[in-house]
Structure formats: structure tokens, C-alpha cells
Amino acid sequence: MYLWIKALHLVAVVTWFAALFYLPRLYVYHAMARDRGESQAIEYFKTMERKLYRGIMTPSMIAVLVFGGWLLALNPGWLSQGWMHAKLTLVAALVAYHHVCLIYLKQFADDRCTRSHRYFRIFNELPVIALLLIVLLAVLKPF
């Protein structure tokens, strides 16, 4: 059973990160279309952003948390290890990032977002750093 839960956790992680990488990239393009006054493209981005967030990103995050919590329940000793504390801190930061993405989604939906495409290009890189650190922590268990 453990390997099935771990496999489902990893699938959920992959899909969540795919969405965490893609939604802010859509924000880059949305901000560029906004700046050019391309109303048809703007409406298209609003639809894509909403569907990605609600249909893929949020269910994937929930699955990551459920399967990850289940794995921790099966291996409570991990909670006494420093690498797990660091990993869980990064996961908490990703959950916060996920919710910041919702704030921007609502701002774009209401045509209130004033952030530039350059801002979203930088914002888009934050999950990459988290992914690198989480994988290193989970594989190497350095402390």
C-alpha cells in the first residue's frame, strides 16, 4: 500500500508543479495582452487561468497534501528529522504561493491587476527554486 500512496503523491506533485509553472506564465502573456489592449486575448486568458487553477492546480495541491500527510502518518519518525521540517516549510510556502496565484487570478478576472509581465516572469521562477530544494531534501536527506 505504501508504494501506491507514494506513487500517487508523486503524480500529484508533478501535476501541481506543472500548473504552478504554467499559471504564472499565463499571467505573463495576459499582462502583455492587457498592455497591448487585446481584449479578445484577455478573455481567452481569463478562461484558461480559471480552468487551470480550479480544474488542475487546486485538486493537485489537495492530492499532494492528502497523500503526503498519509505518507507521514505511515512514517511518523520522519517528523523528527530536520530535512522533513525544511521540506514541509517549503511545501507551506508553495501553498501560500498557490493562494497568491488565486489573488492574481481574481485581479485579472476583474481587470484590476496592474503587475507587469516582467514581474510575472520573476514570480514564475519561485516554484523552480522550491522544487529543486524539495527534491534535494527528499532524496539526499542531508540532516
Side-chain angles (χ1 to χ4, degrees):
M1 182 72 150
Y2 171 80
L3 292 177
W4 280 98
I5 298 165
K6 187 175 182 179
L8 292 171
H9 177 66
L10 290 172
V11 169
V13 167
V14 169
T15 57
W16 188 31
F17 269 97
L20 286 170
F21 294 153
Y22 189 47
L23 184 61
R25 178 55 50 182
L26 288 175
Y27 293 162
V28 169
Y29 302 138
H30 191 148
M32 291 170 67
R34 177 202 61 213
D35 293 347
R36 291 191 297 253
E38 298 172 355
S39 58
Q40 187 174 6
I42 290 169
E43 293 308 312
Y44 182 69
F45 285 122
K46 287 179 185 181
T47 300
M48 289 177 61
E49 292 158 1
R50 184 186 75 252
K51 288 181 178 184
L52 178 61
Y53 188 87
R54 292 186 181 151
I56 297 172
M57 196 163 150
T58 298
S60 297
M61 178 191 67
I62 291 167
V64 165
L65 298 175
V66 167
F67 291 123
W70 197 349
L71 289 170
L72 281 174
L74 293 173
N75 297 288
W78 286 345
L79 291 171
S80 66
Q81 298 177 14
W83 68 270
M84 182 56 74
H85 288 263
K87 180 183 174 199
L88 292 175
T89 299
L90 289 166
V91 170
L94 283 170
V95 170
Y97 181 90
H98 181 106
H99 287 86
V100 170
C101 285
L102 176 60
I103 291 168
Y104 290 130
L105 182 124
K106 289 179 177 181
Q107 287 178 358
F108 273 122
D110 295 336
D111 299 316
R112 293 183 295 111
C113 188
T114 58
R115 297 282 186 178
S116 72
H117 66 92
R118 287 185 183 96
Y119 169 85
F120 285 113
R121 288 179 194 279
I122 295 167
F123 181 74
N124 185 232
E125 299 305 322
L126 298 177
V128 175
I129 297 165
L131 176 62
L132 175 65
L133 293 173
I134 287 170
V135 168
L136 290 174
L137 288 165
V139 172
L140 300 176
K141 298 175 180 54
F143 48 90

